Amino acid sequence: MASSDETRLLVSPSHCSSYAAAAAGTAFGDPRPSCSHGAPLMSPHSFHMMSKTACISPQVSDCDTQTKKENIRSLTMCGHVGFESLPDQLVDRSIQQGFCFNILCVGETGIGKSTLINTLFNTSFEEHESSHFCPNVRLKAQTYELQESNVRLKLTVVYTVGFGDQINKEESYQPIVDYIDGQFDAYLQEELKIKRSLFSYHDSRIHVCLYFIAPTGHSLRTLDLLTMKSLDSKVNIIPLIAKADTISKTELQKFKVKLMSELVCNGVQIYQFPTDDETTAKINASMNVSPPASPTPMNIMENENHCDFVKLREMLICTNMEDLREQTHARHYELYRRCKLEEMGFSDMSPENKPLSLQETYEAKRHEFYGERQRKEEEMKQMFVQRVKEKEAILKEAERELQAKFEHLKRAHQEERMRLEEKRRILEEETVAFAKKKATSEIFQSQSFMASSATVRKEKDRKNFNYM
Amino acid sequence: MDTLRQSPSPCSSRPSSPRTPPFEMFGPVGIEAVLDQLKIKAMKTGFEFNIMVVGQSGLGKSTMVNTLFKSKVWKSAMPSLEVPTPQTLELHSVSHVIEEKGLKLKLTVTDTPGFGDQINNDKCWDPVLGYINQQYEQYLQEELLITRQRHIPDTRVHCCVYFVPPTGHCLRPLDIEFLRRLCRTVNVVPVIARADSLTIEEREAFRSRIQQNLKTHCIEVYPQKCFDEDINDSILNGKIRQEQIPFAVVGADQEHLVNGRCVLGRKTKWGIIEVENIAHCEFLLLRDLLIRSHLQDLKDITHNVHYENYRVIRLNESHQLPRGPGWVNLAPASPVQLTSPGCLKVRRRAQKDSKDDEC
């Protein structure tokens, strides 16, 4: 008989033995009994694991504890399996998919945002100069497709328009925050859908925010501080000192130091470049940038001694693009997601401290919505029925009126007809009477004529007689 | 099954017509370096791979796994006399971390002793399907948490290797039933086990008959045709599909001396069958498919297609299953008994399932 529906998952605990850090060179398990020649078991290609009980790198700490729970042991392979091509497979897939990178540039009008981006990517995106008279801060986003050898990059650059131009700057940073949240929200919506397609979703979340600081030489402005403070938990911020060639080098240094200390002292989190295995480990992310006036002095600009621009490009693109994306996804997005879901009323723990699944709250809400929808449907049905009744009544009324009119007309018509009949009869009688009269009068006339003619003859005869 | 056909290709996302044509760059920017960054990141986090082997006992599953990963994944392939053959189908899972050239791979192998061994093998696929769905469920629960882990441990079965006994005729009803149900939930790679009991011609004939059977019953094994993205993939996968699936393999974990070289093979009276010799058996092809060329693809399809399908069904059905404290026990993938005339989608799917069962 086949087993019941429940599956029993047996992790074979009886087999495994976590071995101590002693045997560095021995193969695991029984020595092969059937190896007929006495050659050593290690062939030149064998790889040996340094015996550890926790086998996964310490960075992934969650996996660590799980490793211990599952009693995972390390294996010694006596041969070349060939999975070192795995990163290549991964890379191939990524090449096919293409990459996506979104930059947000925050800074005053005219500070050199678009010029910097142009230079960073060694191209010239079409940009018009913006005006200084915008009533409020807007964001302008544009997407470009770049390709370098076989790597496709979908670059989206978002500029702030009118930042710092208003007289009252209180609401300056809100549109920016709203925009970033909006992108996170769009991604969250896609992720929560039932039928979703995350692999072909165009990720529009901002990966890095380049914050342009005006080179006043003094200290951080309040607006800048406030904006950075409100953005630091949502996005990776890299502050830049723009137009650095307008102040002298020593002032620049002092300014940098001052800025960093202010940022630290106000608790603003800026993006820390990962330092573990970088060839150029840089923690301080504040660099100065000198944008060129026109494309030609670019080669001058790229001189390392002249400015930190090359370093910026290297940091941003060559070394850390992937890390920026990962931070955005793993830290900022997760934070947003957590806050948003908690806001919507979901939680991981129910009031009795039992683990509550998203499923249950979701189901509860769904039930609610379902009930709500039913109710609304009922309401609408009722309304519909009522409307139909009313309409029907109106129509009936109209019909009745029409009927009455018709009757009335019919009656009038009949009366008319009768009257006309009457008239005709009278007319006919008159005609008959007239005809009779005519007849009698004709007879009378003929009679009188004959009588008169007879009289005339008589007269004549008498006359004739008299003559005789 | 229809969902498989309708879902778009999971692995590539060709951008739909770009708003602007690719920009001319005046000089190298260094975007290529992102590939190296990816590699470095991958090396740090390591990889995971979960494979399941299904087949009757005695077909050489454990030996095959040992040969694939060149190590003793299972302590002993031969069942000892004291342990009775399991009366019911159980699943054994074992995890290892293997490292090669600085790259770590966490390998989990799930075995199914007792599959197809009983007299009445009805519904013997249920435990297997249940296990697979259980892994999906675990991942789903992790994904739905409010505070989730940075890296959700992936225990979903990426590939199921199905061992077909070398009868030489065609697929048996048990095989067909099992393959039909499983190919909708997981990537299945069928192999002809113990291929050294067939001659070369017999192997070819058997293979073509199996391919025929698969086509007749609309069973899509890995690599699935509907997920070929570009022309290179279709050519490559087409070749695999036409000529090589199912692979005729021989497993061996004992080494012998042949011509002065030490090779893995099976020693018989009349010679030594070398496992890694392409003229002897197709083990190398299987290994290359599973590890060297298509591993990432297997994982991608599992994540983007099978897992998503499971998720859709699960989220649609969720309001009908009884509420439990968080984790709900999911019945294996069979037409769901509808208690309320609620979700039309589920009903349609149930109907589709029953229609497919008839086909």
Side-chain angles (χ1 to χ4, degrees), chain A residues 240-242 244 249 252-253 256 286-290 306-309:
Chain A
L240 304 172
I241 304 174
K249 256 209 167 335
L252 194 59
Q253 278 303 103
K256 248 194 196 180
S286 175
M287 297 179 269
N288 50 9
V289 160
S290 177
H306 193 75
C307 77
D308 295 331
F309 174 74

Side-chain angles (χ1 to χ4, degrees), chain A residues 99-105 113-125 142 144-148 151-159 207-208 210 212 292 298 301-302 309-310 312-318 321 324, chain B residues 22-32 34:
Chain A
F99 292 93
C100 201
F101 195 53
N102 308 320
I103 305 182
L104 169 68
C105 294
K113 306 188 283 284
S114 35
T115 327
L116 176 75
I117 298 290
N118 282 354
T119 327
L120 255 185
F121 289 97
N122 234 335
T123 172
S124 72
F125 304 122
Q142 277 178 318
Y144 309 100
E145 287 248 341
L146 302 174
Q147 176 143 4
E148 190 171 275
V151 179
R152 282 192 324 231
L153 178 69
K154 204 178 219 178
L155 177 73
T156 305
V157 191
V158 186
Y159 299 106
H207 297 128
V208 69
L210 297 176
F212 291 75
M298 235 186 270
M301 239 214 37
E302 301 225 7
F309 174 74
V310 173
L312 173 67
R313 179 200 272 167
E314 200 181 291
M315 280 296 129
L316 199 59
I317 302 175
C318 306
M321 201 194 300
L324 284 165
Chain B
F23 263 89
E24 282 298 312
M25 295 193 292
F26 301 135
V29 174
I31 300 179
E32 279 185 303
V34 74

Side-chain angles (χ1 to χ4, degrees), chain B residues 128-139:
Chain B
V128 176
L129 280 179
Y131 174 78
I132 294 175
N133 285 332
Q134 184 185 4
Q135 305 313 307
Y136 287 149
E137 178 69 31
Q138 248 177 354
Y139 194 87

Side-chain angles (χ1 to χ4, degrees), chain B residues 161-311:
Chain B
V161 183
Y162 187 76
F163 285 75
V164 177
T167 59
H169 294 186
C170 60
L171 286 178
R172 302 166 303 159
L174 171 65
D175 300 332
I176 293 179
E177 273 306 311
F178 186 84
L179 284 174
R180 251 192 35 201
R181 282 153 205 279
L182 238 67
C183 71
R184 285 181 244 165
T185 337
V186 75
N187 300 317
V188 179
V189 178
V191 296
I192 302 175
R194 287 193 179 271
D196 47 340
S197 58
L198 300 171
T199 65
I200 307 265
E201 294 86 21
E202 283 171 0
R203 276 189 215 168
E204 287 305 314
F206 192 28
R207 196 201 315 275
S208 56
R209 264 194 290 267
I210 291 184
Q211 283 176 353
Q212 274 285 347
N213 284 128
L214 293 177
K215 216 182 296 205
T216 329
H217 293 270
C218 317
I219 299 176
E220 285 239 358
V221 297
Y222 184 82
Q224 291 99 338
K225 197 167 186 143
C226 40
F227 300 138
D228 284 340
E229 296 122 36
D230 57 12
I231 194 72
N232 298 330
D233 280 352
S234 348
I235 294 179
L236 180 67
N237 290 342
K239 182 156 165 290
I240 298 179
R241 274 193 292 265
Q242 246 79 345
E243 297 163 26
Q244 298 168 351
I245 293 270
F247 301 109
V249 295
V250 175
D253 51 2
Q254 296 173 353
E255 292 190 355
H256 305 275
L257 198 59
V258 170
N259 293 340
R261 285 180 305 130
C262 201
V263 292
L264 289 171
R266 289 170 60 78
K267 184 166 182 195
T268 60
K269 253 200 285 199
W270 44 89
I272 295 183
I273 300 174
E274 295 170 43
V275 166
E276 288 179 340
N277 190 337
I278 197 78
H280 291 201
C281 79
E282 291 161 10
F283 169 76
L284 280 185
L285 294 176
L286 175 68
R287 184 190 62 184
D288 286 346
L289 180 85
L290 281 187
I291 299 178
R292 294 202 186 161
S293 51
H294 286 73
L295 199 151
Q296 190 59 42
D297 194 39
L298 283 165
K299 289 173 63 169
D300 284 338
I301 293 189
T302 309
H303 180 67
N304 291 328
V305 177
H306 296 296
Y307 171 68
E308 290 293 320
N309 286 344
Y310 174 81
R311 187 175 171 275

Side-chain angles (χ1 to χ4, degrees), chain B residues 129-159:
Chain B
L129 280 179
Y131 174 78
I132 294 175
N133 285 332
Q134 184 185 4
Q135 305 313 307
Y136 287 149
E137 178 69 31
Q138 248 177 354
Y139 194 87
L140 182 67
Q141 293 298 330
E142 285 287 330
E143 206 189 25
L144 288 181
L145 282 180
I146 306 281
T147 21
R148 0 188 235 206
Q149 298 175 35
R150 194 179 183 109
H151 176 68
I152 302 178
D154 191 1
T155 52
R156 304 171 290 189
V157 177
H158 298 132
C159 176

Side-chain angles (χ1 to χ4, degrees), chain A residues 243-256:
Chain A
K243 292 205 166 145
D245 50 353
T246 55
I247 54 179
S248 72
K249 256 209 167 335
T250 40
E251 275 191 11
L252 194 59
Q253 278 303 103
K254 278 200 286 189
F255 189 34
K256 248 194 196 180

